[in-house]
Amino acid sequence: MNATALIRNNDLIENPVPRCACVLVLDTSGSMDGEPIAQLNEGVRTFIEATKRDETARYSVEVSVITFGGRVKDISPMTPVHLIEQIDHLHADGSTPMGEAVELALRRLEERKAEYKRSGTSYYQPWLVIMSDGTPTDSWQIAAQQSSSAEQQGRLVVMPIGVGGGADLATLSAFSGKRGAKALGGLKFNDFFLWLSASMSRVSASTPGEKVVLPASNGWDAI
């Protein structure tokens, strides 16, 4: 077991609160270069900082970042927010292997849920956030079926977000079993990630299994 995994597992013992795992699967392909990737980086920082300010969410919410730009990168392992010092700066380059990225995210979530069960830690439905400005360049259908089925079975919350006019909302929608993809209004990454942090705060203040009413998304979506 490496040092990071040891710290994460010790935290399950030292802070025995229910956990909400959230994986950010982020498009960093070449088309995101320039202002989009700059705003995405700022949005991720905003999300971590805002969640840290919530005294409950900072210990309950765990975040992992996986990017897909040219190749899939496991940028940050699943880590409780209060232990995250920084997320590596994201760079835009290459193609859009979304299917592979989602498959990795689903594996990471299952691995973390197994750790919760071994330690006797209760947990909320994990969240899978997928953000993309284009169309997958790899085989994505199996990953979409897996994530969609998991959401239909109540094992996962999937939030597909399309960025810009070139986003393939139909394909993104296939990854969710309960909701269609939402289009980000302009480059409102900060507004989206503030909404996500507020959603995590509501979830972490609830009882696992309890229905949670999420904040309105009209501050950032394009509809």
Side-chain angles (χ1 to χ4, degrees):
M1 183 180 296
N2 61 35
T4 300
L6 184 60
I7 291 171
R8 290 187 304 148
N9 286 338
N10 285 344
D11 189 71
L12 293 179
I13 298 169
E14 295 168 1
N15 297 299
V17 297
R19 303 303 172 110
C20 182
C22 178
V23 182
L24 307 178
V25 181
L26 307 176
D27 187 343
T28 58
S29 60
S31 56
M32 286 285 290
D33 197 23
E35 194 61 19
I37 198 71
Q39 292 298 323
L40 177 59
N41 273 292
E42 181 61 28
V44 173
R45 284 193 294 271
T46 295
F47 173 53
I48 299 300
E49 292 167 2
T51 308
K52 279 184 177 181
R53 290 195 291 269
D54 186 294
E55 286 301 317
T56 301
R58 71 193 309 266
Y59 294 107
S60 290
V61 177
E62 301 190 337
V63 176
S64 171
V65 178
I66 293 171
T67 62
F68 53 103
R71 61 188 179 90
V72 173
K73 298 179 183 177
D74 201 346
I75 296 292
S76 177
M78 189 67 70
T79 305
V81 165
H82 75 101
L83 293 176
I84 297 176
E85 296 182 2
Q86 66 177 17
I87 301 294
D88 289 347
H89 190 78
L90 308 179
H91 301 275
D93 183 53
S95 57
T96 314
M98 187 191 303
E100 182 185 349
V102 171
E103 288 176 359
L104 176 59
L106 294 173
R107 289 199 302 273
R108 292 290 182 264
L109 286 172
E110 288 303 314
E111 290 165 2
R112 191 56 172 159
K113 282 172 26 179
E115 291 170 350
Y116 296 153
K117 292 173 183 177
R118 283 195 294 270
S119 65
T121 302
S122 58
Y123 59 92
Y124 305 97
Q125 281 185 351
W127 280 51
L128 173 64
V129 176
I130 308 169
M131 302 190 82
S132 177
D133 74 337
T135 299
T137 53
D138 66 348
S139 178
W140 55 270
Q141 289 84 354
I142 292 177
Q145 191 275 328
Q146 290 173 338
S147 63
S148 176
S149 295
E151 187 169 44
Q152 289 173 345
Q153 295 164 14
R155 298 188 288 111
L156 185 64
V157 175
V158 184
M159 185 63 60
I161 307 296
V163 179
D168 186 345
L169 296 181
T171 295
L172 282 167
S173 294
F175 286 86
S176 173
K178 291 187 176 180
R179 60 181 61 79
K182 283 184 173 289
L184 188 71
L187 294 178
K188 293 184 176 180
F189 288 101
N190 244 36
D191 292 329
F192 169 76
F193 280 108
L194 284 171
W195 174 88
L196 183 61
S197 178
S199 299
M200 294 290 98
S201 293
R202 290 195 185 186
V203 170
S204 60
S206 69
T207 301
E210 178 184 355
K211 183 176 178 60
V212 177
V213 178
L214 300 178
S217 64
N218 55 10
W220 56 267
D221 70 38
I223 299 174

